[in-house]
C-alpha cells in the first residue's frame, strides 16, 4: 500500500488545482468569495491545538460537491494554517479505493487530515448530512427509473438544480463548515 505522504507529495497545491480548473472554477471561486467564516468560533481555537498540519483532498474539478466543499475547506485551512493539496481521483484509484463511500462508491471530495508525519487523523466527505438528505430527496422526487427514456434528460435537470443550490445556498455552506469542524474536534 502506498503511504499517504507519497500521494500528498504527488498532489497539486490547492491554488494550482483551482488555477488549473476547467469546469467549475468560477463557481468555486464564487462560493469562496461569498462564504463568510463565522467570527470567534471556539471550535477553531480548539482544533488549532490538535496536530493537523496537512489536508490531502481527493477530487476532480468537474465535481459539483467539490465545487461547493473545497472553498469552505480553503477558508478553514487558512484559519488553521493547514497545507492543502489535491489528488485527482481518476489518475490513480488506489487512493480513492481506500476511502469508498458506503464501501462501494468512489464519491468525492474526500478530505484526509494529516499530522506532520502524514498520518491520517480525520477524514471528511463527500457531503454534510443535510446536503446528502437534499440530494437524496431531489433525486427521489425528480428522477425516473434508469430504464425510462427520459432518465438522461431528467438527470441533467437534477444536476443543474443541485448545482444552482450549491452555488447560492449559504445555509448549505454553513452545514459543510459545521460538518468539517465537527469531524476535526
Amino acid at each position: 500500500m502506498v503511504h499517504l505522504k507519497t500521494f500528498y507529495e504527488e498532489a497539486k497545491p490547492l491554488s494550482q488545482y483551482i488555477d488549473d480548473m476547467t469546469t467549475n472554477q468560477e463557481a468555486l471561486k464564487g462560493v469562496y468569495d461569498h462564504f463568510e467564516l463565522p467570527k470567534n468560533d471556539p471550535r477553531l481555537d480548539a482544533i488549532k491545538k490538535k496536530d493537523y498540519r496537512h489536508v490531502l483532498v481527493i477530487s476532480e474539478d468537474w465535481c459539483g460537491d467539490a465545487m461547493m466543499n473545497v472553498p469552505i475547506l480553503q477558508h478553514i485551512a487558512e484559519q488553521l494554517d493547514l497545507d492543502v493539496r489535491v489528488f485527482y481521483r481518476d489518475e490513480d484509484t488506489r487512493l480513492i479505493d481506500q476511502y469508498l463511500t458506503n464501501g462501494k462508491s468512489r464519491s468525492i471530495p474526500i478530505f484526509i487530515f494529516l499530522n506532520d508525519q502524514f498520518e491520517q487523523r480525520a477524514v471528511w466527505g463527500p457531503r454534510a448530512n443535510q446536503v446528502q438528505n437534499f440530494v437524496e430527496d431531489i433525486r427521489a422526487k425528480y428522477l425516473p427509473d434508469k430504464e425510462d427514456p427520459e432518465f438522461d434528460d431528467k438527470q441533467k435537470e437534477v444536476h443543474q438544480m443541485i448545482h444552482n443550490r450549491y452555488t447560492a445556498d449559504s445555509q448549505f455552506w454553513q452545514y459543510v463548515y459545521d460538518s468539517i469542524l465537527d469531524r476535526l474536534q
Side-chain angles (χ1 to χ4, degrees), residues 2-18 20 54-59 83-89 91-92 95 110 112 114 118:
V2 179
H3 192 275
L4 290 172
K5 181 178 181 181
T6 301
F7 287 111
Y8 186 85
E9 289 172 344
E10 293 174 3
K12 284 186 178 184
L14 180 59
S15 60
Q16 183 182 352
Y17 166 80
I18 294 169
D20 291 348
H54 311 282
V55 186
L56 178 57
V57 175
I58 307 170
S59 189
D83 186 40
V84 181
R85 296 210 181 166
V86 181
F87 190 87
Y88 290 97
R89 178 192 74 178
E91 284 186 10
D92 184 343
L95 181 58
I110 300 294
I112 307 163
L114 308 166
F118 297 91

Side-chain angles (χ1 to χ4, degrees), residues 39 88 105 137 141 160 180:
K39 304 253 187 269
Y88 290 97
S105 299
D137 289 347
K141 185 174 181 180
Q160 189 60 53
I180 293 170

Side-chain angles (χ1 to χ4, degrees), residues 57 74 139 150 153:
V57 175
Q74 185 178 4
R139 285 180 177 161
E150 293 187 13
D153 289 338

Side-chain angles (χ1 to χ4, degrees), residues 28 32-33 64 68 105 117 121 160 177:
L28 182 144
Y32 179 84
D33 290 342
M68 178 177 66
S105 299
Q117 291 76 42
R121 290 294 178 234
Q160 189 60 53
Y177 171 80

Side-chain angles (χ1 to χ4, degrees), residues 46-116:
I47 293 167
K48 281 181 185 179
K49 296 175 184 170
K50 298 192 177 238
D51 65 347
Y52 302 115
R53 297 295 173 260
H54 311 282
V55 186
L56 178 57
V57 175
I58 307 170
S59 189
E60 290 286 342
D61 79 354
W62 48 259
C63 175
D65 288 296
M67 179 264 314
M68 178 177 66
N69 297 333
V70 167
I72 308 304
L73 172 67
Q74 185 178 4
H75 277 285
I76 293 168
E78 290 166 357
Q79 277 300 120
L80 299 176
D81 196 28
L82 302 175
D83 186 40
V84 181
R85 296 210 181 166
V86 181
F87 190 87
Y88 290 97
R89 178 192 74 178
D90 298 339
E91 284 186 10
D92 184 343
T93 57
R94 290 179 299 164
L95 181 58
I96 191 64
D97 286 347
Q98 296 177 52
Y99 297 94
L100 297 176
T101 301
N102 299 322
K104 60 182 178 179
S105 299
R106 291 178 173 163
S107 301
I108 51 177
I110 300 294
F111 302 159
I112 307 163
F113 294 85
L114 308 166
N115 65 12
D116 278 331

